């Protein structure tokens, strides 16, 4: 369990770094776009995938896996696709589940 939490934390921090790079345009537009619109969602999806088995309410585990699939799958859709919003939906669903189903510390 501790190893999963460490992996999930590393993935989340890497995703935040990608988001910050995209916000501040630290690299060329192509690299910023790749990090901010692709790699960020893949890392968040991977984080959701790792987090899913650790949820308190196991009924939400499959929803978290679904959110992970939406994030990762949506990241590989063309930017002009009408389905590209799926990655954002996956992000919101995953964050909502994550915030409401955190393991309680004793």
């Amino acid at each position: 369990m501790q190893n999963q939490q460490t992996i999930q934390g590393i993935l989340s921090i890497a995703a935040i770094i990608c988001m910050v790079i995209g916000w501040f345009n630290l690299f060329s537009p192509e690299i910023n776009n790749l990090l901010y619109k692709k790699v960020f969602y893949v890392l968040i999806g991977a984080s959701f995938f790792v987090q899913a088995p650790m949820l308190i309410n196991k009924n939400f585990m499959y929803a978290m896996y679904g959110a992970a699939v939406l994030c990762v799958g949506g990241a590989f859709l063309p930017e002009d696709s009408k389905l590209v919003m799926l990655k954002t939906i996956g992000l919101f669903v995953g964050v909502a589940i994550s915030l409401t189903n955190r393991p309680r510390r004793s």
Side-chain angles (χ1 to χ4, degrees):
M1 174 113 162
Q2 184 64 32
N3 194 25
Q4 284 180 310
Q5 288 176 334
T6 302
I7 292 168
Q8 196 233 345
I10 291 168
L11 289 168
S12 297
I13 290 170
I16 290 170
I17 291 169
C18 288
M19 187 171 54
V20 168
I21 289 170
W23 276 348
F24 292 110
N25 295 315
L26 299 178
F27 299 110
S28 69
E30 296 81 18
I31 299 295
N32 287 331
N33 188 42
L34 177 70
L35 291 173
Y36 187 61
K37 294 185 178 179
K38 305 280 185 202
V39 175
F40 168 76
Y41 284 99
V42 170
L43 290 171
I44 288 294
S47 174
F48 290 163
F49 185 79
V50 170
Q51 184 183 5
M54 296 186 292
L55 294 174
I56 296 170
N57 186 340
K58 295 303 177 189
N59 294 327
F60 288 107
M61 184 173 65
Y62 295 110
M64 185 63 95
Y65 284 132
V69 167
L70 288 176
C71 285
V72 174
F76 291 102
L77 292 172
E79 285 300 315
D80 59 350
S81 170
K82 292 182 181 182
L83 297 175
V84 78
M85 68 177 171
L86 291 177
K87 64 185 180 185
T88 305
I89 293 170
L91 174 67
F92 286 134
V93 168
V95 169
I97 293 170
S98 173
L99 292 175
T100 59
N101 285 282
R102 290 183 175 255
R104 288 176 179 69
R105 298 196 183 249
S106 50

